[in-house]
Amino acid sequence: MQNTLRILGVLLDYPQAELLAHTADMKVLLQEEGALPWPQLQSICNCLDQMAQTELLSLQEDYVASFDRGRSLSLHLFEHVHGESRDRGQAMVDLRMAYHQAGLELAANQLPDYLPVFVEYCAHLAPAAARQWLVDVAHILRLLLARLQQRESAYATLISCLLVLAGEDLVDPETQTQVASEPRDDTPEKLDAAWAEKPVTFGCATAACAPVAAGTTTQAAAAARP
C-alpha cells in the first residue's frame, strides 16, 4: 500500500520531468504491490500511459487548469473545511506536528494540508493507520471526485484510488446533489470576479473619520484653552 500511496501523491502533484521518465517504473510497482483492485489499477495504468505520451508543458497546463482556477478543486484539504477562518491555522499546526512525529519534515514553503503531502505522509504509516487518515478526509475526497468527474478530468481516477484504498464508497448521493446544483467557479466570468481589485480607500472609511466641518477644529481648540 505504501508504494501505491507514494505514486498517487506524486501524480497529484505539479507534473515534473522526472514523472515522465518513470511512468513505466510506476506501473510495475503498482502491479507488484497489488493494493488496488483491477478496475482502479487498470485505470491508473492507462493514465500513466497517457502521461507518457503527452508533452510536459501540456500536462502542466492541464494541472493548472484543473486545480488552480477557483477554490472548488483546491488540493488544500482545509480549504474545504475551514476556508479562511482562524481554525485553519491551528489545524495546520496540529497536522504539521503529526508529520513531525512520523519523521516527515516539510519545507518552509510547504503547507501540510496540501493533498500530495498528506498522501505522502500516509505512505509513511502502517496500512491500518494510513487507511484511517484517508477515511478522515473521505468526505473531501468524494467532493473533489464528483467535481472532477463533472469536468471529465483524468485526475478523477487518482482521487477514486484514494477512496478505494480507504475502503470508502465512491458515490455519495448528498455530495452528487451538491455538486450538480452548485455553479462552477472556473469560468472566465467567475475568475474575473475573483481577481477583480477592490476600490482603494485612503484613510479611514468610517463615520468617525468623516471630514471635520470648517471652523470646528478652531472652535474646539479655543474651548480647550484655559
Side-chain angles (χ1 to χ4, degrees):
M1 183 172 176
Q2 280 85 351
N3 284 334
T4 299
L5 284 170
R6 288 191 177 94
I7 291 170
L8 289 171
V10 169
L11 295 178
L12 282 166
D13 204 354
Y14 185 74
Q16 303 289 349
E18 292 80 2
L19 168 65
L20 299 183
H22 295 287
T23 52
D25 296 332
M26 291 182 184
K27 286 176 61 177
V28 172
L29 287 172
L30 289 167
Q31 291 164 354
E32 289 181 346
E33 190 168 60
L36 291 169
W38 172 246
Q40 280 72 36
L41 178 60
Q42 185 177 36
S43 294
I44 194 171
C45 286
N46 289 341
C47 284
L48 286 167
D49 288 339
Q50 185 64 38
M51 288 180 176
Q53 299 169 14
T54 306
E55 292 185 358
L56 178 60
L57 183 58
S58 296
L59 289 176
Q60 292 172 337
E61 289 175 345
D62 181 53
Y63 185 91
V64 170
S66 298
F67 299 116
D68 293 345
R69 294 180 179 174
R71 294 182 173 182
S72 64
L73 281 176
S74 172
L75 291 182
H76 289 92
L77 297 171
F78 294 154
E79 177 72 35
H80 304 281
V81 179
H82 301 299
E84 299 299 326
S85 72
R86 288 184 295 179
D87 293 338
R88 184 175 183 176
Q90 185 58 52
M92 292 280 200
V93 172
D94 294 342
L95 191 54
R96 188 179 289 270
M97 181 59 67
Y99 293 174
H100 175 74
Q101 292 172 350
L104 181 63
E105 299 295 339
L106 303 185
N109 62 341
Q110 283 184 310
L111 295 177
D113 69 333
Y114 182 48
L115 183 56
V117 173
F118 178 82
V119 173
E120 173 65 20
Y121 164 65
C122 290
H124 280 69
L125 305 176
R131 194 169 290 111
Q132 184 56 56
W133 277 95
L134 291 173
V135 168
D136 290 343
V137 300
H139 61 295
I140 302 174
L141 296 178
R142 274 192 289 267
L143 187 61
L144 291 173
L145 175 60
R147 288 169 175 165
L148 287 168
Q149 289 174 331
Q150 183 190 60
R151 302 176 193 193
E152 300 182 345
S153 170
Y155 283 103
T157 294
L158 306 181
I159 302 298
S160 67
C161 287
L162 290 176
L163 284 165
V164 168
L165 291 175
E168 291 284 311
D169 293 332
L170 300 182
V171 178
D172 171 56
E174 185 176 342
T175 301
Q176 295 286 339
T177 300
Q178 174 187 338
V179 171
S181 62
E182 66 187 10
R184 288 179 53 161
D185 62 354
D186 62 338
T187 62
E189 295 77 15
K190 289 291 185 180
L191 292 172
D192 287 344
W195 286 100
E197 296 184 359
K198 295 181 179 180
V200 177
T201 301
F202 295 97
C204 179
T206 64
C209 296
V212 179
T216 302
T217 303
T218 304
Q219 295 170 3
R225 287 196 295 270

